[in-house]
């Protein structure tokens, strides 16, 4: 018998269970749910003067389960107010999970577009697209006409079992969504669908078909125009290593190119990893009231250890810090969206704090930093001769390995500029995000120090200058 999940049941459970979580590793400045498991950010949108973040959510355990949509809002992207669960898998068209999707504002109404996951009794899977809306931004009603897209709308070459994660946008007076899909003979692609009113949807085109080297499946696409370029961001699965890139079994691409709106196809001319650390997947972006393109991602990836579940802390996973994304002199730049940093902190003892550390390299030479203790640490180094920055987790007592055939202990990124002049590091309880040379490259990695560790930041080699500021 299928278990019955409802919004009411989820909210009642959260109210009771949230007091039972162990807060030891919970971040201070990164988003985390009140209890339970989270993964992909969904429905990231600016609505009525506030940032709204929805997310894949299973409140009943700190593992992936039948997906709900959690919901929170913020005025500054650092401090979040938890709101009631927005969606639960309570209808035949989403009975096995309300999978990822997106949001858009139309006529002061907040609309959600999401994937309904359906596990049939015979073991087959179908994924369909659904709509819900809210006039108050808190309580949502699903359309009676759901699903708005299903397998009958797809060309025969597309596998209806892998058709998910719609990202809705408006272009030239019409609504569109890019949707991740899979060819029956294997391989990822992006489908474009369209609507005049967000209610009636039609298949438009195969927006982009992947090659074998681009992974077996794509997830969580995001299309937008940025500084005069057409951009497509998505997360391919099982991409082969290429130099310093794609060491994680699943990664995220930032593609720049051009859309032919006559054929409704996208032609990429540049493909690069969004983040070269260990833990970054399924980002989603939006434009705020300042005109900024803001991106946030799941600060983890599939197939890795779930430490807080192993420790029975009653919660698992977090989001990255929000990032302002722009294209500057032909380079994608990501900078953390942070409040004013006015309180200096000592880097000799930063336990239970979220901090921002600025590293300047006056001699523009190699250096190595260690965060943690001598017996339990994560290391960041710059190799001048290779002009590359690395994050190394070999020194952690809690090894964070995954499904990769070659263990991913160290990640690196080649620096676009002639030398590393500066780093900005956002450090928060169990994660570090390293923004290189003003954000032309970024690396995000998790760590879980053992309880006895009192972390500090020290310079192991080189001559760099450090300044730290409180974030939490």
């Amino acid at each position: 018998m299928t278990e019955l999940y409802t919004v009411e049941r989820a909210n009642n459970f959260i109210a009771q269970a949230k007091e039972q979580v162990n807060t030891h590793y919970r971040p201070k400045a990164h988003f985390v749910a009140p209890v339970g498991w989270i993964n992909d950010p969904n429905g990231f949108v600016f609505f009525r003067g506030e940032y709204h973040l929805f997310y894949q959510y299973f409140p009943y355990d700190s593992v992936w389960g039948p997906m709900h949509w959690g919901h929170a809002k913020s005025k500054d992207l650092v401090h979040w107010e938890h709101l009631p669960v927005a969606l639960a898998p309570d209808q035949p068209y989403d009975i096995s999970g309300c999978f990822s999707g997106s949001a858009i504002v139309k006529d002061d109404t907040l609309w959600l577009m999401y994937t309904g996951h359906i596990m049939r009794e015979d073991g087959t899977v179908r994924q369909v697209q659904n709509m819900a809306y809210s006039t108050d931004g808190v309580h949502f009603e699903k359309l009676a006409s759901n699903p708005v897209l299903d397998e009958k709308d797809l060309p025969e070459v597309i596998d209806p079992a892998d058709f998910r994660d719609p990202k809705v946008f408006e272009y030239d007076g019409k609504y569109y969504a890019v949707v991740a899909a899979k060819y029956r003979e294997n391989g990822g692609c992006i489908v474009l669908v369209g609507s005049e009113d967000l209610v009636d949807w039609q298949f438009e085109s195969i927006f982009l078909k992947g090659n074998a080297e681009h992974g077996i499946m794509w997830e969580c696409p995001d299309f937008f125009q940025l500084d005069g370029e057409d951009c497509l961001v998505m997360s391919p699965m099982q991409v082969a290593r290429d130099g310093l890139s794609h060491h994680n079994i699943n990664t995220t691409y930032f593609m720049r190119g051009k859309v032919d709106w006559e054929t409704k196809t996208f032609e990429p001319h540049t493909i690069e990893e969004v983040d070269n650390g260990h833990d970054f997947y399924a980002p989603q972006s939006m434009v705020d009231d300042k005109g900024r393109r803001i991106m946030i991602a799941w600060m983890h990836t599939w197939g890795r250890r779930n430490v807080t579940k192993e420790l029975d802390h009653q919660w698992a996973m977090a989001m990255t810090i929000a990032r302002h994304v722009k294209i500057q002199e032909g380079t994608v730049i990501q900078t953390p969206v942070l409040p004013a940093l006015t309180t200096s902190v000592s880097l000799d003892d930063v336990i239970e704090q979220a901090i921002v550390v600025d590293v300047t390299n006056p001699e523009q030479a190699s250096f190595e930093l260690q965060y943690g203790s001598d017996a339990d640490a994560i290391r960041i180094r710059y190799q001048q001769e290779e002009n590359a920055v690395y994050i190394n987790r070999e020194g952690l007592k809690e090894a964070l390995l995954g499904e990769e055939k070659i263990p991913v202990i160290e990640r690196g990124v080649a620096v676009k500029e002639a030398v590393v002049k500066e780093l900005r590091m956002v450090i928060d309880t169990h994660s570090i995000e390293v923004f290189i040379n003003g954000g032309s490259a970024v690396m995000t990695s998790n760590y879980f120090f053992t309880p006895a560790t009192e972390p500090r930041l020290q310079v192991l080699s080189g001559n760099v200058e450090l300044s730290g500021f409180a974030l939490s």
Side-chain angles (χ1 to χ4, degrees):
M1 180 178 177
T2 301
E3 189 169 359
L4 180 63
Y5 293 105
T6 66
V7 166
E8 292 76 17
R9 177 188 170 190
N11 289 323
N12 289 336
F13 176 84
I14 293 165
Q16 298 176 33
K18 65 182 181 181
E19 304 303 327
Q20 306 304 315
V21 302
N22 185 317
T23 62
H24 178 68
Y25 290 118
R26 283 174 71 84
K28 303 297 189 294
H30 290 70
F31 179 80
V32 65
V35 65
W37 162 280
I38 68 173
N39 54 281
D40 307 349
N42 297 153
F44 191 32
V45 69
F46 195 79
F47 179 64
R48 295 182 184 172
E50 295 176 300
Y51 299 93
H52 284 251
L53 176 67
F54 301 82
Y55 52 94
Q56 289 287 276
Y57 188 33
F58 187 59
Y60 302 102
D61 199 350
S62 48
V63 296
W64 188 92
M67 286 291 98
H68 297 53
W69 272 39
H71 186 196
K73 67 178 182 178
S74 174
K75 294 186 181 297
D76 63 3
L77 293 166
V78 173
H79 303 92
W80 293 93
E81 176 187 346
H82 295 291
L83 296 173
V85 168
L87 301 175
D90 58 4
Q91 298 297 322
Y93 50 76
D94 61 18
I95 195 64
S96 305
C98 296
F99 275 19
S100 290
S102 54
I104 195 167
V105 178
K106 176 179 179 285
D107 300 330
D108 200 38
T109 296
L110 184 55
W111 287 80
L112 307 181
M113 189 175 191
Y114 72 99
T115 295
H117 186 65
I118 306 164
M119 289 284 295
R120 294 172 168 175
E121 291 185 359
D122 62 3
T124 59
V125 173
R126 288 295 180 268
Q127 293 183 338
V128 301
Q129 311 315 315
N130 304 310
M131 300 296 301
Y133 67 92
S134 172
T135 56
D136 65 4
V138 177
H139 305 93
F140 289 84
E141 182 174 344
K142 298 174 181 178
L143 287 189
S145 56
N146 283 337
V148 297
L149 288 161
D150 61 20
E151 62 185 296
K152 72 178 183 300
D153 300 297
L154 296 174
E156 181 62 27
V157 294
I158 300 298
D159 186 347
D162 288 292
F163 172 49
R164 58 183 177 267
D165 312 337
K167 177 62 191 298
V168 62
F169 63 95
E170 186 177 2
Y171 176 78
D172 197 23
K174 184 174 178 177
Y175 298 102
Y176 293 96
V178 284
V179 190
K182 187 177 183 180
Y183 273 80
R184 290 185 186 271
E185 71 269 20
N186 225 349
C189 69
I190 301 298
V191 166
L192 185 72
V193 299
S195 173
E196 299 290 343
D197 57 6
L198 297 176
V199 175
D200 296 312
W201 288 85
Q202 303 82 36
F203 172 84
E204 298 280 350
S205 66
I206 294 176
F207 199 57
L208 178 65
K209 181 178 180 180
N211 300 318
E213 64 267 25
H214 295 151
I216 64 168
M217 174 65 191
W218 295 348
E219 294 194 307
C220 302
D222 187 357
F223 174 78
F224 49 88
Q225 294 177 312
L226 183 62
D227 298 324
E229 294 196 56
D230 293 330
C231 302
L232 181 65
V233 176
M234 78 358 216
S235 294
M237 308 180 82
Q238 299 186 27
V239 178
R241 286 189 175 207
D242 179 16
L244 294 178
S245 298
H246 316 317
H247 287 207
N248 300 337
I249 195 170
N250 305 310
T251 186
T252 300
Y253 283 151
F254 197 116
M255 296 182 169
R256 290 184 281 163
K258 187 67 177 176
V259 174
D260 182 338
W261 284 102
E262 291 294 321
T263 61
K264 295 177 180 173
T265 56
F266 176 74
E267 181 67 32
H269 59 68
T270 302
I271 303 176
E272 59 185 320
E273 270 191 296
V274 177
D275 188 293
N276 289 79
H278 296 86
D279 297 289
F280 182 97
Y281 194 73
Q284 190 166 111
S285 73
M286 49 80 73
V287 174
D288 68 5
D289 60 333
K290 301 178 180 66
R292 301 179 298 178
R293 174 67 55 177
I294 307 294
M295 176 185 291
I296 196 168
W298 183 36
M299 198 162 57
H300 197 68
T301 192
W302 297 111
R304 292 274 167 78
R305 281 185 64 197
N306 182 351
V307 173
T308 51
K309 170 61 178 177
E310 295 172 14
L311 296 172
D312 195 29
H313 283 192
Q314 306 298 311
W315 67 276
M317 313 304 163
M319 300 299 179
T320 65
I321 210 77
R323 304 173 181 185
H324 178 199
V325 183
K326 57 186 176 181
I327 298 174
Q328 185 173 297
E329 298 180 353
T331 298
V332 177
I333 302 295
Q334 305 173 67
T335 54
V337 180
L338 304 172
L341 303 173
T342 57
T343 304
S344 298
V345 295
S346 169
L347 301 179
D348 292 329
D349 181 12
V350 289
I351 192 167
E352 296 296 321
Q353 283 184 279
I355 61 172
V356 175
V357 179
D358 288 325
V359 182
T360 55
N361 186 16
E363 296 182 358
Q364 300 182 14
S366 299
F367 62 85
E368 185 171 14
L369 309 174
Q370 175 176 286
Y371 180 63
S373 68
D374 290 340
D376 189 12
I378 190 168
R379 292 185 176 184
I380 302 95
R381 76 179 190 278
Y382 169 54
Q383 299 274 131
Q384 185 189 26
E385 61 273 18
E386 301 170 19
N387 200 25
V389 175
Y390 296 87
I391 292 184
N392 190 298
R393 301 201 292 200
E394 185 177 15
L396 292 175
K397 285 187 176 180
E398 290 283 0
L400 301 176
L401 303 180
E403 297 175 350
E404 291 85 1
K405 293 179 181 178
I406 303 173
V408 185
I409 295 171
E410 182 172 82
R411 288 295 326 261
V413 60
V415 178
K416 296 182 177 72
E417 298 78 19
V419 69
V420 166
K421 296 182 178 180
E422 61 179 11
L423 306 177
R424 168 159 277 195
M425 304 191 301
V426 181
I427 304 174
D428 185 7
T429 310
H430 78 271
S431 67
I432 183 167
E433 295 173 81
V434 182
F435 297 82
I436 301 163
N437 284 348
S440 66
V442 189
M443 308 179 78
T444 300
S445 296
N446 290 326
Y447 54 84
F448 291 90
F449 294 143
T450 53
T453 300
E454 296 184 3
R456 59 193 177 96
L457 183 67
Q458 59 180 319
V459 180
L460 296 184
S461 64
N463 182 25
V464 295
E465 299 172 359
L466 308 179
S467 53
F469 303 91
L471 179 55
S472 60

